[in-house]
Amino acid sequence: LLFSRQGKLRLQKWFTPLTDREKKKVIRDMMMLVLARPPRSCNFLQWRDLKIVYKRYASLYFCAGLEDKDNELLALEVLHRYVELLDKYFGNVCELDIIFNFEKAYFILDEFLMGGEILETSKLAVGVSMEEADTLQETMEEYMSKPAY
Amino acid sequence: MALPRMPAPIRLRELIRTIRTARTQAEEREMIQKECAAIRSSFREEDNTYRCRNVAKLLYMHMLGYPAHFGQLECLKLIASQKFTDKRIGYLGAMLLLDERQDVHLLMTNCIKNDLNHSTQYVQGLALCTLGCMGSSEMCRDLAGEVEKLLKTSNSYLRKKAALCAVHVIRKVPELMEMFLPATKNLLSEKNHGVLHTSVVLLTEMCERSPDMLAHFRKNEKLVPQLVRILKNLIMSGYSPEHDVSGISDPFLQVRILRLLRILGKGDDDSSEAMNDILAQVATNTETSKNVGNAILYETVLTIMDIKSESGLRVLAINILGRFLLNNDKNIRYVALTSLLKTVQTDHNAVQRHRSTIVDCLKDLDVSIKRRAMELSFALVNGNNIRGMMKELLYFLDSCDPEFKADCASGVFLAAEKYAPSKRWHIDTIMRVLTTAGSYVRDDSVPNLIQLITNSVEMHAYTVQRLYKALLDDISQQPLVQVASWCIGEYGDLLVSGQCEEEEPIQVTEDEVLDVLEGLLVSNLSTPVTRGYALTAIMKLSTRFTSVNRIKKVVSIYGSSIDVELQQRAVEYNALFKKYDHMRPALLERMPIMEKTASNGPTEIVQTNGEAEPSVVEAKHPPPVTQPTNQANDLLDLLGGNDVVPVIQTTVPTKPASAGGELLDLLGDLSLSGGPAPAPATSVPSSQPAFLLDGLTSPPLFNDIAAAGIPPMTAYNKNGLKIDFTFERANPNPNIAVITIHASNSTEADMTDFVFQAAVPKTFQLQLLSPSSNVVPTLNQGTVTQVIRVLNPQKQQLRMRIKLTYTHKGSAVQDLAEVNNFPPQSWQ
């Protein structure tokens, strides 16, 4: 989940099937728990049977739910890697980029993770895939980084 | 003639911009509704050109929280389109809006199949991705073959996606695992890190799910050596910019390999041996200055602890955790505490070495860390370190947040019980907890503590003295007050006589003690339960102190207390003074040492999902004697249920045997046949009214309803509970009114645990027989009946106070009411 300090959702990726209502509840709970944390707390907390890892980048909170056997410290690295990928693609990414180009954010995520697991560990490779896929888009307009859909 | 075309739907970015200008939620909703309407009509027109744009907008609105289900079919159309742009948005929409619950996904299967065989790898990639994220079991079954094919391709882009897709397929349909086995043969010989990583994930999934697979990979494939080699190369190889994270080469892959090694090595000596070296190497050579390095070390430690590693390696692992504890980074400290919690059972001694660091963590500012440190501290307490540890834990109890206090207090009690070096220390510790965190102590600890105290016979004087002093200071913490009152009641004589050996005995008079107890009774801070304890304590002192008159006065005052429980006790005690004074000493004797009836479970931390929770809460079951102070009442309550004035005759020990039997019959069943002999009248002062005993051979009296002719009345009607009284006159004694209560429930939920209690003024006597049941069924489907007999020799106007308790829809309800509307015929 990506959400802002004001509690606005910017991106959601679910790897287990939940009903819409359940998803909304989880989102609400996560926002409540994470936004309430004091500034210099530990980045991990326990919620039901999941380990929640979150990190704040500027005005956005990146929040992930892990299973028990997953490595929390590594999850922080995963979050960081995703931010790096976004940064490379958009060039100094900021929250507005993600708002206006949310579908791109999803495409990038889908080149990095699949089914909750890491797909590609090379930053370069992800960048290349995105570039090439973008060229396949049918019109010049749609190819450019800030297309007018 | 062409229909006039609608204007082109607005662009996605424009829509986003517009919506963001909305200043209120209502404004936003309006914009969205307008746009949705436009999109819907556009969908109806089957417009191919702008479908993609519209679905993209819909997805944005969906993220804001608005319903978007009408776009589901459109996503499918987009997926079926030839344009890449369409497919991209279509598949995204499918992943966001559809999941296996909907039926629409079945329609996707064919599209995905086609796309899996598409000439463009990016289209194939989209299909694999979507299938791997939200594919249902049916879809997986249908398409597994295609995925397997792609797993064998030489195209690394597709291979890695196929691997993770296979993981999803196996998770959904475990039976298909076999089919992927051949393809895994040379997955690990790939150079491409993406493929390597996803292959390790696939192998991990297979090994975790099937012990057969696990065995196969261990023996036949020689997986361990392969993994060790790859890991070694990663560590030894030079800088690779592509995979580098803060100077470490592909940490994601390293961690995944370590995890797979863990599974392979668990319980298997050969495998474990083969990986010892590499684990030691990783553990000692990894850079620890950044989070990345620590992530790898963390995984390494977890692996070392799980496999059959040699002891040197284990010590190394625990030392790493010890170092983590000293790290400035909170996350690392947290992770260390969590891991130590998991290993404290098996490697107790090694963890003990880090005890002081762990205890220091109790003082950390972070809540998550404090909690872990507390749990771990309790796990580390043993006979040797109990004194030191308890000091730290008590200090923690003093200063911690309220959310911890209850758990900490329970933990302290358990630890103290197990390892107390001396009784006095134990009592002191209990005192400390009660005085510092008294209000957070769990209710069930009070009986436990009382039991502990009775068991330490030689400490009684000391205990009561300390408790008394504590009461003088502070009467607000209820558990402390309750335990203290109980002790004073039991051991008040020791207190007054100044017998304490352990410390300087204090000078206190009987009056001072009674002052304190009476103070509890009137204080606003005392709960009803506490008041009960206090009153009973006062009563017990009547056999231990000499100032009996004062006690009698107090007891009789409370005979008319509004609190029905208190009133009941007071009246019973009063009766004890008046009529059964000879029984009083026996009843109020010192309590015997209580047997511990329930097993006290170990303080072990219970492992659940690897997250350890102290079982301190569940392990202790309070002894069945919930109110030891009620022992005096129990005798009197024997047959009466909830009487105010008990049936006195039954407790008189000196009555002829024959009459005794009939008395018991009387109360067990409603008919009065064979009335009990009036023999008790000879041993009881003649002023006592012959309750129900007149008439040795009186016929059943309950059938004389018509003779009475007293109209029934509604005594209570509130919250759906209605209680009606019907009357009969009990012949031959016209002074006795027999009232049958009928309780009915008009709400839609049953009222369970229903208890009816009644109290009458002093000039009356009341007997309450057993109720027909304690569940008042819903919607007036039945009634609970209960018989009350009221003796009214002075023919005074009948008044009654009733107390109702029951559980309704999960919550406890209690109500008191006055019944004043008795028909005159019932008492004249």
Side-chain angles (χ1 to χ4, degrees):
Chain A
L1 297 176
L2 265 68
F3 48 87
S4 71
R5 274 201 67 71
Q6 287 77 38
K8 289 253 182 203
L9 190 68
R10 297 298 177 209
L11 188 142
Q12 53 177 324
K13 190 79 182 177
W14 302 90
F15 297 110
T16 48
L18 292 177
T19 63
D20 265 344
R21 171 177 285 159
E22 287 166 345
K23 286 184 191 170
K24 286 211 162 88
K25 172 135 204 321
V26 173
I27 294 172
R28 255 201 328 267
D29 283 352
M30 285 302 109
M31 287 196 194
M32 221 166 52
L33 281 174
V34 171
L35 292 174
R37 297 280 280 185
R40 269 182 299 270
S41 321
C42 177
N43 294 93
F44 313 130
L45 50 99
Q46 189 73 19
W47 179 79
R48 297 198 191 165
D49 61 339
L50 290 178
K51 302 198 254 202
I52 306 295
V53 178
Y54 72 93
K55 188 128 193 233
R56 184 172 164 193
Y57 288 90
S59 56
L60 271 184
Y61 282 92
F62 286 66
C63 179
L66 309 180
E67 287 176 332
D68 188 62
K69 44 195 174 144
D70 293 321
N71 183 328
E72 300 97 308
L73 296 178
L74 198 71
L76 281 175
E77 294 300 320
V78 171
L79 291 178
H80 190 74
R81 171 58 68 90
Y82 181 51
V83 173
E84 283 179 330
L85 292 170
L86 288 170
D87 193 61
K88 184 142 172 272
Y89 184 79
F90 287 109
N92 264 335
V93 69
C94 63
E95 191 182 342
L96 276 178
D97 287 322
I98 301 181
I99 295 172
F100 279 94
N101 298 287
F102 69 94
E103 78 284 2
K104 298 281 192 197
Y106 274 107
F107 297 150
I108 295 173
L109 188 61
D110 286 339
E111 291 297 320
F112 177 43
L113 302 177
M114 194 207 282
E117 305 285 353
I118 297 178
L119 181 55
E120 178 58 67
T121 56
S122 155
K123 278 186 271 196
L124 198 61
V126 175
V128 165
S129 312
M130 279 303 289
E131 274 274 334
E132 295 190 357
D134 282 348
T135 58
L136 292 178
Q137 306 224 174
E138 271 76 13
T139 68
M140 275 307 287
E141 212 183 345
E142 284 155 341
Y143 164 60
M144 280 156 55
S145 281
K146 288 177 169 41
Y149 259 5
Chain B
M1 200 162 95
L3 287 165
R5 291 205 95 202
M6 278 184 60
I10 66 172
R11 306 201 138 99
L12 171 64
R13 307 278 180 269
E14 228 173 278
L15 176 67
I16 297 178
R17 211 169 290 130
T18 315
I19 292 179
R20 281 171 65 80
T21 61
R23 267 160 298 157
T24 67
Q25 186 76 348
E27 230 182 292
E28 185 184 275
R29 217 173 314 148
E30 219 182 287
M31 291 179 186
I32 301 248
Q33 272 170 2
K34 212 170 112 194
E35 186 58 36
C36 276
I39 293 180
R40 262 191 244 250
S41 22
S42 186
F43 284 163
R44 268 198 296 273
E45 286 190 7
E46 296 285 338
D47 184 339
N48 289 335
T49 326
Y50 295 113
R51 185 178 287 124
C52 182
R53 182 185 290 189
N54 285 326
V55 170
K57 287 186 286 187
L58 200 55
L59 291 178
Y60 178 73
M61 296 189 286
H62 173 73
M63 184 145 66
L64 291 178
Y66 296 92
H69 43 269
F70 59 90
Q72 285 168 358
L73 269 173
E74 301 300 314
C75 291
L76 295 182
K77 293 182 195 165
L78 283 174
I79 291 174
S81 154
Q82 287 311 307
K83 294 165 71 174
F84 183 70
T85 317
D86 282 358
K87 283 189 193 284
R88 231 181 176 186
I89 295 289
Y91 276 117
L92 179 62
M95 284 193 274
L96 288 177
L97 298 180
L98 301 174
D99 62 40
E100 48 198 65
R101 253 177 277 271
Q102 277 92 25
D103 294 322
V104 254
H105 71 259
L106 287 171
L107 302 170
M108 281 172 63
T109 310
N110 217 29
C111 283
I112 295 187
K113 188 164 192 179
N114 290 337
D115 283 341
L116 284 175
N117 290 310
H118 203 275
S119 50
T120 315
Q121 71 176 20
Y122 291 103
V123 174
Q124 289 172 294
L126 282 177
L128 281 169
C129 183
T130 308
L131 182 61
C133 279
M134 51 75 72
S136 65
S137 333
E138 291 86 21
M139 283 166 78
C140 287
R141 248 184 254 273
D142 286 340
L143 298 166
E146 302 293 327
V147 176
E148 200 258 342
K149 226 167 52 185
L150 287 171
L151 195 49
K152 298 196 276 220
T153 173
S154 54
N155 179 329
S156 42
Y157 177 79
L158 290 176
R159 221 172 172 196
K160 71 187 185 198
K161 292 207 174 197
L164 285 188
C165 195
V167 170
H168 180 82
V169 169
I170 293 175
R171 283 181 184 158
K172 284 286 172 201
V173 192
E175 305 88 67
L176 291 174
M177 204 189 317
E178 292 286 328
M179 134 185 225
F180 293 105
L181 188 52
T184 63
K185 268 208 180 340
N186 46 13
L187 273 177
L188 289 184
S189 41
E190 264 269 4
K191 290 275 184 306
N192 180 297
H193 281 226
V195 179
L196 273 178
H197 188 278
T198 56
S199 307
V200 173
V201 174
L202 177 57
L203 291 167
T204 309
E205 189 69 27
M206 291 167 112
C207 289
E208 273 178 343
R209 281 191 182 261
S210 155
D212 290 335
M213 283 285 183
L214 180 58
H216 168 84
F217 281 120
R218 268 185 193 141
K219 298 199 173 44
N220 303 359
E221 302 288 341
K222 303 211 189 305
L223 205 49
V224 177
Q226 274 189 299
L227 292 169
V228 170
R229 191 177 36 87
I230 299 174
L231 194 49
K232 206 167 194 153
N233 282 341
L234 276 176
I235 304 173
M236 306 299 247
S237 67
Y239 176 73
S240 152
E242 231 186 297
H243 302 110
D244 180 271
V245 180
S246 305
I248 296 187
S249 201
D250 209 338
F252 303 109
L253 183 56
Q254 287 194 36
V255 167
R256 241 19 248 248
I257 291 180
L258 285 166
R259 197 157 129 184
L260 181 52
L261 284 176
R262 179 152 85 241
I263 297 172
L264 289 169
K266 192 166 186 167
D268 188 88
D269 290 320
D270 289 334
S271 303
S272 302
E273 207 187 305
M275 50 179 92
N276 262 320
D277 283 343
I278 190 72
L279 289 174
Q281 202 177 357
V282 175
T284 44
N285 288 348
T286 312
E287 265 284 329
T288 57
S289 53
K290 293 269 173 84
N291 183 57
V292 189
N294 289 318
I296 296 178
L297 277 180
Y298 177 40
E299 197 73 32
T300 313
V301 165
L302 289 178
T303 302
I304 294 175
M305 300 315 292
D306 246 11
I307 65 173
K308 292 191 167 247
S309 49
E310 47 182 43
S311 59
L313 204 51
R314 290 181 94 84
V315 171
L316 179 60
I318 296 204
N319 287 344
I320 292 178
L321 290 179
R323 272 206 319 269
F324 274 6
L325 280 180
L326 298 168
N327 195 305
N328 283 332
D329 189 331
K330 281 195 199 316
N331 297 330
I332 298 190
R333 289 211 296 279
Y334 180 84
V335 147
L337 287 171
T338 311
S339 316
L340 284 171
L341 212 43
K342 288 187 207 166
T343 62
V344 76
Q345 301 303 325
T346 46
D347 294 85
H348 193 93
N349 291 332
V351 181
Q352 280 284 358
R353 256 178 252 141
H354 300 278
R355 199 180 64 240
S356 54
T357 324
I358 294 170
V359 166
D360 277 340
C361 287
L362 284 173
K363 304 190 183 98
D364 199 297
L365 293 168
D366 188 289
V367 169
S368 314
I369 290 184
K370 272 206 274 234
R371 183 160 280 281
R372 287 276 180 260
M374 181 180 86
E375 290 165 0
L376 195 48
S377 300
F378 279 123
L380 287 176
V381 169
N382 64 25
N384 293 330
N385 58 33
I386 178 77
R387 281 189 197 264
M389 287 296 277
M390 199 49 85
K391 222 165 73 177
E392 294 287 344
L393 288 166
L394 286 172
Y395 181 72
F396 176 67
L397 183 63
D398 268 339
S399 51
C400 68
D401 299 326
E403 58 184 291
F404 291 113
K405 291 209 193 225
D407 288 329
C408 190
S410 303
V412 166
F413 285 146
L414 262 170
E417 231 181 287
K418 275 179 85 171
Y419 301 112
S422 75
K423 290 240 159 95
R424 168 155 176 184
W425 181 94
H426 196 172
I427 304 277
D428 283 342
T429 308
I430 293 176
M431 288 293 308
R432 178 87 184 269
V433 175
L434 286 177
T435 47
T436 53
S439 7
Y440 298 98
V441 164
R442 292 207 163 82
D443 290 336
D444 58 5
S445 335
V446 173
N448 289 338
L449 291 175
I450 290 179
Q451 183 187 46
L452 272 169
I453 292 172
T454 57
N455 279 332
S456 8
V457 177
E458 65 279 12
M459 302 296 304
H460 286 170
Y462 173 70
T463 311
V464 72
Q465 181 163 297
R466 286 213 57 188
L467 285 168
Y468 177 75
K469 282 202 270 195
L471 265 192
L472 289 177
D473 274 335
D474 169 24
I475 57 169
S476 64
Q477 305 193 82
Q478 299 305 295
L480 170 63
V481 174
Q482 286 167 12
V483 174
S485 329
W486 189 90
C487 284
I488 294 176
E490 277 293 307
Y491 312 121
D493 47 331
L494 297 175
L495 182 61
V496 175
S497 64
Q499 280 180 24
C500 185
E501 286 168 3
E502 300 281 337
E503 61 174 28
E504 188 67 31
I506 57 176
Q507 307 294 332
V508 70
T509 65
E510 293 184 359
D511 275 320
E512 284 170 334
V513 174
L514 288 172
D515 280 340
V516 170
L517 287 174
E518 280 188 52
L520 292 175
L521 280 172
V522 301
S523 163
N524 286 336
L525 296 166
S526 302
T527 63
V529 171
T530 308
R531 291 206 177 95
Y533 271 91
L535 188 58
T536 306
I538 292 179
M539 187 59 191
K540 284 193 206 168
L541 289 174
S542 70
T543 52
R544 297 159 174 66
F545 280 4
T546 52
S547 35
V548 182
N549 284 327
R550 178 171 173 181
I551 294 178
K552 270 197 202 168
K553 245 191 357 205
V554 173
V555 167
S556 61
I557 289 174
Y558 282 90
S560 40
S561 157
I562 290 186
D563 181 337
V564 176
E565 172 76 21
L566 218 50
Q567 189 194 109
Q568 175 181 342
R569 290 186 191 215
V571 171
E572 287 171 0
Y573 295 155
N574 233 350
L576 206 50
F577 273 126
K578 294 212 170 72
K579 298 173 187 131
Y580 297 98
D581 213 37
H582 52 280
M583 283 171 60
R584 192 163 46 89
L587 274 176
L588 300 175
E589 221 173 41
R590 257 290 194 274
M591 295 279 265
I593 295 180
M594 283 183 242
E595 291 291 316
K596 245 215 220 346
T597 50
S599 61
N600 202 6
T603 14
E604 246 86 346
I605 309 289
V606 172
Q607 305 256 9
T608 48
N609 290 338
E611 277 303 318
E613 301 267 325
S615 60
V616 294
V617 180
E618 286 78 22
K620 238 179 150 104
H621 303 287
V625 184
T626 46
Q627 293 255 37
T629 51
N630 246 339
Q631 214 190 40
N633 294 342
D634 288 347
L635 278 174
L636 303 175
D637 270 353
L638 244 185
L639 297 155
N642 301 298
D643 292 358
V644 174
V645 177
V647 178
I648 298 157
Q649 289 75 353
T650 58
T651 61
V652 174
T654 58
K655 58 182 186 307
S658 56
E662 281 148 1
L663 270 174
L664 294 173
D665 282 343
L666 172 69
L667 295 158
D669 99 62
L670 294 179
S671 76
L672 249 194
S673 53
T682 57
S683 55
V684 150
S686 52
S687 57
Q688 170 164 5
F691 201 101
L692 301 158
L693 307 178
D694 294 9
L696 279 168
T697 53
S698 36
L701 302 168
F702 284 69
N703 301 326
D704 284 346
I705 301 170
I710 306 169
M713 56 173 266
T714 301
Y716 176 92
N717 191 350
K718 205 163 131 192
N719 294 330
L721 177 63
K722 185 151 96 96
I723 301 194
D724 291 327
F725 283 4
T726 56
F727 301 89
E728 294 116 54
R729 187 81 51 199
N731 282 332
N733 190 340
N735 293 333
I736 297 173
V738 179
I739 308 173
T740 306
I741 69 151
H742 306 265
S744 57
N745 165 12
S746 61
T747 68
E748 358 61 82
D750 284 350
M751 294 173 179
T752 55
D753 303 310
F754 177 81
V755 170
F756 175 93
Q757 291 170 272
V760 287
K762 286 208 194 96
T763 51
F764 300 85
Q765 282 189 8
L766 180 141
Q767 179 190 17
L768 197 58
L769 307 187
S770 313
S772 58
S773 110
N774 66 347
V775 175
V776 191
T778 159
L779 297 171
N780 295 324
Q781 289 168 15
T783 59
V784 167
T785 56
Q786 199 165 1
V787 174
I788 313 173
R789 298 163 180 263
V790 183
L791 177 68
N792 182 4
Q794 296 171 30
K795 296 253 190 252
Q796 295 205 338
Q797 176 174 17
L798 187 53
R799 282 181 4 247
M800 194 183 280
R801 201 177 275 136
I802 60 176
K803 176 173 173 184
L804 306 154
T805 53
Y806 55 92
T807 307
H808 187 235
K809 290 185 183 163
S811 44
V813 183
Q814 187 178 300
D815 201 4
L816 293 169
E818 287 251 68
V819 185
N820 287 324
N821 51 336
F822 286 94
Q825 302 94 314
S826 63
W827 46 270
Q828 273 166 351

